[in-house]
Amino acid sequence: MILSPAERSYLYDSLAKDELIRPDARADYQFRPIEVKTSFLPSSNGSARVRLTDGSEIITSIKSKVVLAAEEKSLIECDIDIPGFRDDSNFVANLKYNMTSLLNKSFPFESLKLTSKYAFKLFIDCVVISYSSFPLTFISIACYLALKSTKLPKLISDVNDEETAEQPLFSDDWENAQYLGDLNDSKSFNPPLIIVIGVVGKNLLFDPSAEEEQVLENGIIISWYNNDISTPIHNLNFSVHSNMPNYKGLSQQMIMKSILMARKHCANIVKALDQAIEEQTDDGVIF
Amino acid sequence: MDILKITQPEALSQDVESDIEMSDNENEVTGNSLVTPGELVTDDPVWMKGHGTYFLDNKTYSSVAGSVSRVNRLLSVIPLRGRYQPETGDHVVGRITEVGPKRWKVDIGGKQDAVLMLGSVNLPGGVLRRKSESDELQMRNFLKEGDLLNAEVQSIFSNGSASLHTRSLKYGKLRNGIFLKVPSNLIIKSKNHSFDLPGNISIILGVNGYIWLYKTPSSGRKNNINASSNKAQASFDAKGGYNPGQGSVSITRLEEESSWEIYSDKNDPNITGSVRKNIASYYNIIKALSHGELGITEQRIIMGYEASLAYGNSGSLIEKEAMESICEDVLNSEKMRGDAS
C-alpha cells in the first residue's frame, strides 16, 4: 500500500498528537471488532476462525498425536500458511518463529502429559486466508481460541506405565472426550497470546490497521501468559510490503510504556476471549 | 467501550425456500428480476444478447448475478457488484500508479487504470502557459506514484478504460484529510459530488466509490501556506501579499491559483483536533452505511452524523451493532421526512 505524502503526514500528525486520534476513532487500546467461531472443523481436535470486518480471516486447526514424550523435542508444532507466500519467505518464517517461540516458552506442557511415558503432541496449523494488517495478533488469538476448544479422547488405561510396555488406551466414546484444559486437573488452562503495538511519537497503539502501519515509527511485540508479560518481546517492522519511511529506533521508555500498557489491558482481552468461547453455540452456523 | 468486541456468525433470519418455484412460462423475460450466474433468462431467440449474458443452444443465460434489463430487443444483466465502469462526466477520486511518457496512470477502481494526459492537467502558471519539454521531464514534481487526486472522466476508450482531466479548480491533488473506499455501486450519481458537511468537513464522493474526507478549505488559506521547496516555484511566489481579485470571482483566478501550490504535498498546518475527530466520525459513518449496503448520499451522511452524536465516543461506531443501528436510524429519519425512495 502506498499513501500519498499528504495522507501520510495527516495520519502521522493525528496519531502523534498528545491526545491521539485514530482514523477510525478507536481508542489507543481498542482492537478492531472480530467475529469468532470455534470447534467447527469436524475432523480436528480443536479449531477456531477469526474474521475482521475488512475481510481478514484466519483459520486454525489443532490435531493431536500420542507420542513417547522422551523422544520429542517439543510437544507443540506450529505451522503457518499464507497463500501467495512461500513457506521459507521472510514474512511467513517470521510469523512462524514468533508463534513457535511463544508456544514453546509459555505453555502449560504438563497438561499434555498422558502417562509417565506418553504424552499428546499438538500440531497447530494456521491458514491466513486474507489479511490487511500484520496478522500476528489475530493468529495468536485464533490459536488461543482453538487451544481452548481442543478436545482430546479420555484415557482409560493406567496412568502409571513405567513398568509395563503397554500403550495408552482411550475410551472409544467421543462423548467422553475432555477439553485440553480439563486434562490432568490443571487449575486453569490459559494459552499464551501475542499483542502487536505500534509506536508513533510518544504514543502507543494496539492493533494498528494497515494504514496506521504505514506511518509507524516502530512496532513492538509483547507476549502475555498466565496473567503476566512473557517472552518473546521484541520490535519489528510490521509493514512488510512497503518501506516505512518513518521507521526509527526505539527508546527504552517506549518499551517500558508498552509493557505497562499491555499489563493494564491484556487481562481484559483474555476475559473477552474466554467469554466468547462460553457464548459459542453449537448451531452449525459457520458463515 | 470494549477493548475487544467479539461477535459470532449469525444465522440467516429468513428461511430460505429450498424448492424454488419454476415458472411454467419461461418464454417471458421477467422484468427487473434478479438472476444468478448460469440461470436461464430466456429461451426466446428473438432477444439480442447484451452484457452479462451468454448464449447456448438458442437459450440465453445470465453470466453474472444482477438484475435483468431490457432495452427494446437488447437483453442484458446489470451486475449487483463488480468493478467500477467509468462513464464520461463522472467525478472520480484516484491514485497515481505510474508515471509514463506524457501521461500518468491512475487507479480508479476500474478494470483498467485510467490515463491522465499531461495535456489534461492545469500546470503552474495559468491558462496561457504552453507545455514544454521541461514539463515532460518534471512530471513527478506535479504528480507522483501514490498521490491522490480528483478528476473528471473526459472520455472512454474503445477498450473501456477512461481518460481523465483535471482542468478545473475543483479538481486536482487532495490534501488535509483521509481516504476511504466503498463499493462503487453504493455511490448514487448526482449533479454534484463534493459537499460541505457539518463540523467544518468537506467530502468528495467519487462515483468510483473512492471517497476523500477533508477539512473544509478556508477562503484565506492561500496566504497561510507557503509550501515552497521547489526552485521552479520561486518565481511564482514572488508576488507577495497582494492578490488581485481576491474575494471576488475574476477571470484571472485560474492564473493565481494555478501556482505550484496546487501540487503541494503540505497539509494545512492548522487542522484542529476537533476537525480530525469529525473526520474520523464521518469515516465510521460511511463505513457503517457501506456495511448496511445503503446508497451513500450527502443527506444520508449528515443524518448518520446526527444519529452518531448519540454515541459519546465515535470509536464504538466500528462495532457491528452500532453500524446496524446507525443504518436503521438513517432509514427511519428518511421515512419520517417522507423522502424514502
Side-chain angles (χ1 to χ4, degrees):
Chain A
M1 174 188 285
I2 317 173
L3 296 180
S4 76
E7 267 181 303
R8 188 187 294 282
S9 80
Y10 176 87
L11 206 54
Y12 179 84
D13 292 345
S14 297
L15 294 178
K17 275 174 99 71
D18 291 338
E19 185 199 354
L20 92 169
I21 299 160
R22 300 175 76 164
D24 52 1
R26 274 189 290 158
D28 51 355
Y29 59 83
Q30 198 184 353
F31 278 65
R32 285 167 289 176
I34 56 175
E35 189 184 87
V36 152
K37 184 80 191 170
T38 60
S39 313
F40 64 99
L41 293 177
S43 58
S44 52
N45 292 83
S47 55
R49 187 196 58 196
V50 172
R51 279 207 293 214
L52 270 76
T53 41
D54 67 355
S56 302
E57 181 166 353
I58 289 156
I59 294 178
T60 301
S61 146
I62 296 180
K63 289 211 171 202
S64 63
K65 184 180 164 188
V66 175
V67 292
L68 279 166
E71 288 178 9
E72 294 294 326
K73 260 200 284 184
S74 170
L75 289 178
I76 289 191
E77 209 166 280
C78 183
D79 199 24
I80 291 171
D81 189 50
I82 302 180
F85 283 90
R86 284 168 58 112
D87 285 349
D88 56 0
S89 68
N90 233 336
F91 183 44
V92 176
N94 189 303
L95 291 169
K96 194 175 154 183
Y97 162 76
N98 278 310
M99 282 312 291
T100 311
S101 86
L102 172 76
L103 290 165
N104 281 330
K105 278 174 189 152
S106 318
F107 192 82
F109 283 106
E110 68 278 13
S111 59
L112 292 175
K113 220 170 158 213
L114 266 176
T115 66
S116 40
K117 272 197 276 182
Y118 288 93
F120 280 119
K121 178 168 182 169
L122 298 181
F123 295 87
I124 305 177
D125 289 289
C126 296
V127 185
V128 180
I129 308 271
S130 152
Y131 68 97
S132 57
S133 55
F134 191 66
L136 187 59
T137 309
F138 294 106
I139 291 176
S140 93
I141 285 178
C143 283
Y144 181 94
L145 294 167
L147 282 166
K148 274 276 196 177
S149 63
T150 296
K151 272 183 155 182
L152 295 167
K154 190 174 170 62
L155 183 75
I156 50 170
S157 61
D158 197 7
V159 176
N160 206 339
D161 61 351
E162 249 171 290
E163 307 298 311
T164 53
E166 204 176 280
Q167 288 194 337
L169 223 85
F170 294 97
S171 163
D172 47 12
D173 189 355
W174 185 247
E175 293 290 306
N176 288 336
Q178 289 171 304
Y179 280 110
L180 179 54
D182 299 337
L183 243 60
N184 296 347
D185 308 317
S186 44
K187 38 206 180 324
S188 66
F189 173 70
N190 273 317
L193 268 180
I194 288 189
I195 307 293
V196 159
I197 303 176
V199 181
V200 181
K202 291 215 172 322
N203 288 328
L204 294 169
L205 35 132
F206 275 10
D207 184 25
S209 67
E211 288 88 11
E212 286 165 344
E213 275 177 1
Q214 295 295 312
V215 298
L216 293 184
E217 284 170 356
N218 215 314
I220 305 176
I221 286 174
I222 288 187
S223 313
W224 182 256
Y225 175 60
N226 260 349
N227 244 342
D228 205 357
I229 303 292
S230 170
T231 50
I233 298 176
H234 60 94
N235 76 318
L236 197 69
N237 179 355
F238 297 142
S239 147
V240 211
H241 307 302
S242 63
N243 56 333
M244 281 213 295
N246 293 347
Y247 201 75
K248 292 185 194 166
L250 188 60
S251 79
Q252 226 171 343
Q253 284 93 338
M254 293 316 281
I255 302 174
M256 289 316 292
K257 210 175 154 187
S258 65
I259 288 176
L260 286 176
M261 192 172 164
R263 204 167 255 156
K264 194 168 158 198
H265 295 295
C266 282
N268 287 329
I269 298 172
V270 171
K271 210 163 91 190
L273 292 173
D274 287 348
Q275 201 190 340
I277 293 173
E278 267 168 38
E279 284 170 2
Q280 287 288 316
T281 46
D282 206 14
D283 51 5
V285 179
I286 302 177
F287 300 104
Chain B
M1 191 168 30
D2 290 330
I3 174 165
L4 176 62
K5 178 80 181 172
I6 303 176
T7 53
Q8 282 193 51
E10 281 164 45
L12 287 172
S13 50
Q14 71 269 35
D15 292 309
V16 179
E17 282 273 330
S18 52
D19 12 46
I20 299 156
E21 277 181 43
M22 303 295 276
S23 64
D24 300 323
N25 193 357
E26 289 195 335
N27 291 346
E28 278 296 300
V29 180
T30 39
N32 221 7
S33 64
L34 284 181
V35 288
T36 50
E39 196 175 323
L40 180 70
V41 183
T42 179
D43 56 5
D44 190 346
V46 297
W47 292 97
M48 276 158 50
K49 279 71 67 184
H51 287 297
T53 61
Y54 64 94
F55 194 63
L56 265 184
D57 299 335
N58 279 328
K59 288 173 181 164
T60 308
Y61 299 89
S62 168
S63 62
V64 292
S67 54
V68 178
S69 107
R70 288 175 297 168
V71 180
N72 294 325
R73 290 250 157 242
L74 178 69
L75 185 74
S76 46
V77 181
I78 300 157
L80 288 173
R81 276 174 182 275
R83 289 194 162 262
Y84 163 68
Q85 278 193 326
E87 281 175 38
T88 305
D90 284 354
H91 186 172
V92 297
V93 173
R95 194 187 289 279
I96 304 283
T97 54
E98 203 180 305
V99 181
K102 287 192 200 169
R103 75 200 63 204
W104 291 274
K105 286 277 175 68
V106 189
D107 165 34
I108 56 166
K111 283 175 188 149
Q112 297 113 318
D113 280 353
V115 175
L116 177 66
M117 297 297 294
L118 180 59
S120 324
V121 302
N122 281 330
L123 290 179
V127 268
L128 296 175
R129 176 90 140 65
R130 290 183 66 107
K131 258 135 226 126
S132 61
E133 265 177 41
S134 72
D135 287 328
E136 278 177 47
L137 293 173
Q138 55 168 343
M139 278 174 69
R140 271 204 182 78
N141 290 347
F142 307 131
L143 293 162
K144 59 195 161 304
E145 290 89 346
D147 280 0
L148 278 170
L149 72 153
N150 65 339
E152 189 181 277
V153 177
Q154 188 167 38
S155 58
I156 309 291
F157 295 118
S158 56
N159 64 358
S161 70
S163 161
L164 308 176
H165 80 90
T166 63
R167 280 208 165 275
S168 161
L169 286 175
K170 63 178 178 179
Y171 303 132
K173 209 176 224 178
L174 298 170
R175 280 181 293 271
N176 303 328
I178 51 175
F179 171 76
L180 79 155
K181 271 187 206 175
V182 297
S184 65
N185 55 321
L186 294 181
I187 306 288
I188 296 156
K189 274 188 200 176
S190 69
K191 223 152 106 192
N192 200 353
H193 278 272
S194 47
F195 309 101
D196 289 343
L197 302 170
N200 203 17
I201 308 298
S202 294
I203 189 171
I204 297 170
L205 278 174
V207 182
N208 55 346
Y210 288 15
I211 294 173
W212 183 250
L213 275 164
Y214 62 110
K215 184 192 168 198
T216 306
S218 48
S219 50
R221 184 177 57 120
K222 258 190 66 125
N223 298 331
N224 304 337
I225 297 183
N226 50 346
S228 55
S229 53
N230 204 305
K231 271 185 215 159
Q233 109 189 59
S235 57
F236 296 99
D237 275 354
K239 47 185 166 174
Y242 174 66
N243 288 314
Q246 191 181 6
S248 64
V249 182
S250 83
I251 198 160
T252 55
R253 212 172 131 238
L254 179 66
E255 201 157 344
E256 298 153 30
E257 297 214 1
S258 310
S259 67
W260 273 95
E261 214 171 82
I262 58 172
Y263 291 109
S264 157
D265 282 331
K266 290 269 185 340
N267 283 330
D268 184 343
N270 310 313
I271 306 179
T272 56
S274 70
V275 166
R276 288 175 199 268
K277 271 184 195 148
N278 285 340
I279 287 182
S281 312
Y282 280 116
Y283 181 96
N284 285 344
I285 289 153
I286 292 166
K287 286 272 181 203
L289 291 174
S290 126
H291 174 83
E293 303 264 339
L294 291 184
I296 294 167
T297 59
E298 178 199 15
Q299 207 179 19
R300 278 189 176 151
I301 295 170
I302 293 173
M303 283 191 287
Y305 180 69
E306 282 159 7
S308 77
L309 295 175
Y311 293 82
N313 190 325
S314 48
S316 49
L317 288 179
I318 53 171
E319 289 162 15
K320 220 175 179 179
E321 290 153 25
M323 291 202 284
E324 274 152 18
S325 98
I326 290 275
C327 289
E328 259 166 46
D329 285 352
V330 166
L331 290 177
N332 282 337
S333 50
E334 255 178 19
K335 257 181 220 150
M336 262 154 53
R337 289 180 196 206
D339 52 8
S341 49

